[in-house]
């Protein structure tokens, strides 16, 4: 049976047995206080600074708060910060925290906690690393005030501290933030509106969060990561359901309330259910990514990476997951998403026009590729990654590449992609992932870092990308930013930091018993309520 036909028939039949979960008998009143989400991935590792995985970031949004936050208009707003001052020369930033902030253990949030948290974040985040490189001192002045003194002005300071792309600058107790940033934390005491229920955390099955009554929301209306994060539900549960037909069936029967990524094949079926709402998750969309390891042959040679861009067909990748509705996807000749202020196609010719298999084979040969196995990872528990993995394997075989296909789960991909071992010893050459369009609206995205050792997306090294990223950060006008963005896009594709697979829109779906669901790059639970 065709995959899409099977998914539709399975979901329509209500196949719930694959969850392995017992649905407890709850009173209507108790059930109304629990919101159950099927997340896009398993929360296998929970340290949103240690890992750039979106699932850890999304959980982190519930458990920890941030100093600043980006709203739905992409504006940076104060969050834990009450006020900030910058000296006339742009070198000294002074931040004052809001009063009454508390951690989940009842201890007050102090400036020393913010300093320790910023320091740990800066060790892992590309923008934070830029700031550390020009830092004179970062110190607590008193319990509510801290100061960051720089060697040169940094116009994008507030964006750095409030950005939505991973890793975010979450505020943790100083004792936890003192953890080596290259090791995972083992304690989850947060500053945000929800507590992490560690005793209910079963990787591969479920994660749970409970409302923190000591949280003090801002007075403004909530908007994405900014404003008053008022939680209505007493408890939020993330139920892992890797099989899309199982997730769709669970949503239809009310076993779950919200499905973060409703795959396109099943959207027509869900729309027939009068109890379910289906909508575009985020108009800024998403970008498919084929990450390429720059450390090892053949892809330590730019010619081998360019061979992939010369041969790949973005339409094949988009149709494999998104489907045949061309209104839901576009080819992407570069880094910035369509419709964003910095969008440019400069340098994008390599991704346009007829695909060049013969030229790609020559580039591979020139790079020194001699038939060694190429380790290509694709998470089978993520529908998009699974579909893209099949396309990539087919592409590599057409290029006469010896493919070692690692069909694994996303948790394994996350763990393995951090390894700098040679591919034959447990490392990798390629893996599939995606980035939110909102993350790529500016160069302030860890995926774009190309300084070699600190780059999270294959340890890319591109002096051109690094120089133009720095030029964008230094820019003070939109025209200056656009000029830097054009040069950056060309360097990004010339050196192939990663291979963009295309831009696409995603659906999410929820039962109409939920109120307050809003569009955005991740599920925002502020103000979401439930009736039964």
């Amino acid at each position: 049976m065709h995959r899409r036909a099977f998914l539709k028939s399975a979901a329509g039949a209500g196949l719930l047995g694959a969850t392995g979960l017992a649905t407890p008998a709850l009173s209507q009143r108790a059930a109304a206080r629990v919101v159950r989400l099927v997340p896009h991935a398993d929360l296998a590792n929970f340290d949103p600074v240690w890992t750039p995985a979106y699932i850890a970031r999304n959980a982190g949004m519930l458990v920890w708060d941030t100093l600043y936050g980006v709203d739905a208009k992409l504006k940076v707003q104060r969050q834990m910060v009450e006020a900030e001052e910058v000296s006339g020369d742009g070198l000294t930033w002074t931040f004052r925290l809001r009063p009454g902030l508390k951690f989940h253990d009842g201890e007050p949030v102090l400036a020393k906690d913010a300093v320790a948290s910023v320091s740990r974040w800066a060790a892992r985040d590309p923008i934070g690393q830029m700031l550390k490189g020009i830092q004179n001192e970062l110190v607590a002045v008193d319990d509510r005030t801290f100061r960051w003194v720089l060697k040169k002005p940094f116009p994008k300071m507030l964006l750095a501290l409030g950005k939505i792309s991973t890793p975010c600058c979450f505020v943790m107790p100083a004792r936890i933030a003192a953890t080596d940033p290259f090791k995972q934390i083992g304690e989850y005491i947060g500053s945000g509106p929800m507590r992490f229920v560690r005793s209910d955390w079963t990787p591969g099955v479920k994660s749970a969060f409970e409302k923190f009554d000591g949280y003090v929301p801002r007075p403004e209306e909530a908007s994405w990561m900014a404003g008053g994060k008022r939680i209505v539900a007493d408890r939020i549960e993330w139920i892992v359901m890797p099989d899309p037909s199982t997730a769709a069936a669970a949503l239809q029967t009310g076993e779950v309330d919200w499905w973060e990524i409703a795959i396109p094949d099943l959207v027509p079926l869900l729309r027939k259910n009068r109890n379910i709402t289906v909508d575009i998750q985020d108009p800024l969309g998403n970008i498919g990514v084929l990450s390429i390891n720059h450390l090892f042959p053949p892809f330590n040679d730019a010619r081998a990476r360019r061979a992939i861009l010369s041969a790949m067909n973005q339409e094949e990748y988009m149709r494999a997951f998104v489907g045949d509705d061309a209104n839901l996807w576009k080819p992407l000749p570069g880094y910035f998403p369509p419709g964003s202020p910095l969008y440019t196609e400069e340098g994008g010719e390599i991704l346009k026009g007829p695909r060049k298999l013969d030229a790609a084979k020559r580039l591979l040969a020139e790079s020194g590729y001699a038939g060694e196995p190429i380790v290509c990872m694709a998470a089978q528990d993520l529908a998009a990654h699974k579909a893209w993995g099949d396309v990539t394997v087919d592409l590599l075989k057409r290029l006469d590449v010896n493919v070692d296909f690692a069909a694994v789960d996303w948790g394994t991909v996350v763990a393995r992609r951090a390894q700098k071992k040679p591919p034959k010893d447990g490392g990798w050459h390629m893996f599939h992932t995606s980035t939110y369009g909102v993350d790529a609206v500016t160069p302030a995205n860890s995926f774009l870092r190309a300084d070699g050792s600190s780059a999270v997306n294959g340890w890319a090294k591109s002096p051109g990308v690094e120089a133009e990223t720095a030029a964008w950060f230094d820019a003070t006008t939109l025209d200056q930013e656009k000029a830097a963005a054009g040069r950056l896009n060309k360097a990004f594709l010339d050196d192939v930091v990663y291979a963009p697979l295309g831009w696409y829109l995603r659906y999410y779906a929820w039962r109409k018993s939920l109120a307050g669901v809003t569009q955005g790059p991740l599920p925002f639970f502020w103000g979401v309520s439930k009736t039964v």
Side-chain angles (χ1 to χ4, degrees), residues 273-465:
N273 190 314
R274 61 186 178 87
N275 295 315
I276 292 174
T277 298
V278 180
D279 198 0
I280 296 297
Q281 184 188 43
D282 179 11
L284 288 170
N286 298 79
I287 298 166
V289 171
L290 177 62
S291 183
I292 302 174
N293 192 333
H294 291 232
L295 294 182
F296 300 101
F299 299 114
N300 59 340
D301 189 312
R303 289 171 294 186
R305 301 193 299 271
R306 289 178 64 81
I308 301 301
L309 291 194
S310 298
M312 66 183 288
N313 186 328
Q314 291 185 331
E315 180 175 344
E316 291 180 358
Y317 282 96
M318 291 296 96
R319 290 190 185 278
F321 171 62
V322 184
D324 295 330
D325 186 349
N327 293 315
L328 295 177
W329 60 268
K330 292 182 180 179
L332 184 65
Y335 167 77
F336 301 96
S340 62
L342 299 180
Y343 178 77
T344 175
E345 298 185 7
E346 188 170 332
E349 293 77 14
I350 193 170
L351 284 167
K352 299 178 181 179
R355 300 294 76 206
K356 309 171 185 69
L357 284 175
D358 289 339
K361 289 179 181 180
R362 286 195 298 271
L363 284 170
L364 274 173
E366 290 169 7
S367 74
Y369 177 65
E372 62 268 28
I374 297 300
V375 178
C376 176
M377 298 191 293
Q380 302 301 288
D381 52 344
L382 299 181
H385 299 196
K386 185 177 187 299
W388 296 337
D390 293 341
V391 176
T392 298
V393 168
D394 178 68
L395 170 65
L396 294 175
K397 289 180 177 178
R398 284 188 281 135
L399 290 174
D400 299 327
V401 168
N402 179 9
V403 185
D404 179 0
F405 185 45
V408 295
D409 59 71
W410 179 238
T412 300
V413 172
V414 169
R416 190 169 178 180
R417 72 180 181 181
Q419 300 295 323
K420 290 187 177 181
K421 299 175 182 177
K424 64 183 179 61
D425 296 328
W428 56 278
H429 287 101
M430 299 175 164
F431 74 86
H432 301 79
T433 186
S434 63
T435 182
Y436 292 99
V438 67
D439 287 354
V441 166
T442 75
N445 183 359
S446 58
F447 272 56
L448 190 60
R449 191 68 192 265
D451 69 339
S453 61
S454 299
V456 302
N457 203 36
W459 304 286
K461 190 170 185 178
S462 170
V465 166

Side-chain angles (χ1 to χ4, degrees), residues 16-36:
L16 299 181
T19 66
L21 297 174
T23 304
L26 298 174
S27 69
Q28 285 194 340
R29 183 176 179 184
R33 296 197 297 262
V34 179
V35 174
R36 294 185 175 89

